[in-house]
Amino acid sequence: MIISASYRTDIPAFYSAWLKARIEAGYALVPNPYSGKPSRVGLRPEEVDGYVFWTRNARPARAIFETLAADRVPFVVQYTVTGYPSALEQRVPPVETALADIVSLSERFGPRAVVWRYDPVFWSSLTPPDFHRETVALLARALAGSVDEVTFSAAHIYRKSRRNTEESARQSGFDWRDPGPEEKSALLQELAAIAAEAGLRPTLCSQPELLGGALSPARCIDAERLADIAGRPLKVRQKGNRPGCLCAESRDIGSYDSCPHGCVYCYAVEKRERAKTALKRHDPAGEALLP
């Protein structure tokens, strides 16, 4: 099985000590996000086809990456860098820090080991279309040669993320909107062309209705990329987690409502105070991420 760590929370940034201990123990307990019933997920090298990490700060997980590389377990880091103002992303590392980390990871583990995510593209008075065009151009130039792919998505404002977004807009005095598909697709295609000009392959995550231009469908849990890194084929099947998702089958070991980065549009956090409390309750020696 491919292990996803994690699209529900930022394990590398906040829970690396726990994951390191669970890899050493050979398993983790993962509660079902709906029923709460825990299940045992094997993490011994012979049980894992590879890892996909989702993060805005991979530096605390560097020892884990070194261990996986020594055990010849392939991994990919899906690394989000957007450069948005702090009113939208309250506690993420500075852009310069994240870029330096990506370059360092690429130099150590190879450019196939890291995918840059400019995700999601959020329409607001703080991030108008020109902001996105200029920022993508700047970041793409900085990462050219260190990564070979950038993944985009248009922000999907779910009910729980709408509450956080509207609260932040009132507090920080910005406006935001959720444009129609034609406007979304037009800007995404512009950003894709900018990235392609810098030598990166632009992909779009699980939004087939917005594809066009240089954009191709993303495979965030990418068995082919992991196989390239491993130097051997992986026997896994495609099993996306929503319509239009082309990801390989994986097992996510994270928990919702546990990432305290404070991104206003986040689909994985319903209440930001709950995420801060979850981090305080977290036991790095526990079998599960949260008690």
Side-chain angles (χ1 to χ4, degrees), residues 75-107:
F75 65 89
V76 172
V77 182
Q78 295 276 343
Y79 211 127
T80 299
V81 187
T82 60
Y84 287 178
S86 59
L88 303 182
E89 300 172 345
Q90 295 177 356
R91 285 174 292 277
V92 303
V95 168
E96 297 77 13
T97 302
L99 292 177
D101 193 26
I102 292 175
V103 171
S104 175
L105 288 170
S106 175
E107 290 174 347

Side-chain angles (χ1 to χ4, degrees), residues 9-89:
T9 191
D10 193 331
I11 287 179
F14 300 110
Y15 303 103
S16 282
W18 172 79
L19 181 55
K20 184 175 184 294
R22 298 326 307 156
I23 291 175
E24 291 171 355
Y27 75 97
L29 294 185
V30 181
N32 183 290
Y34 305 104
S35 69
K37 182 179 179 180
S39 58
R40 189 181 190 278
V41 177
L43 299 178
R44 296 193 304 271
E46 62 270 22
E47 296 177 289
V48 177
D49 288 307
Y51 284 81
V52 176
F53 296 96
W54 311 73
T55 191
R56 288 175 173 270
N57 179 13
R59 289 173 296 163
R62 195 58 175 260
I64 294 174
F65 303 154
E66 294 290 352
T67 296
L68 295 178
D71 290 339
R72 301 181 62 81
V73 178
F75 65 89
V76 172
V77 182
Q78 295 276 343
Y79 211 127
T80 299
V81 187
T82 60
Y84 287 178
S86 59
L88 303 182
E89 300 172 345

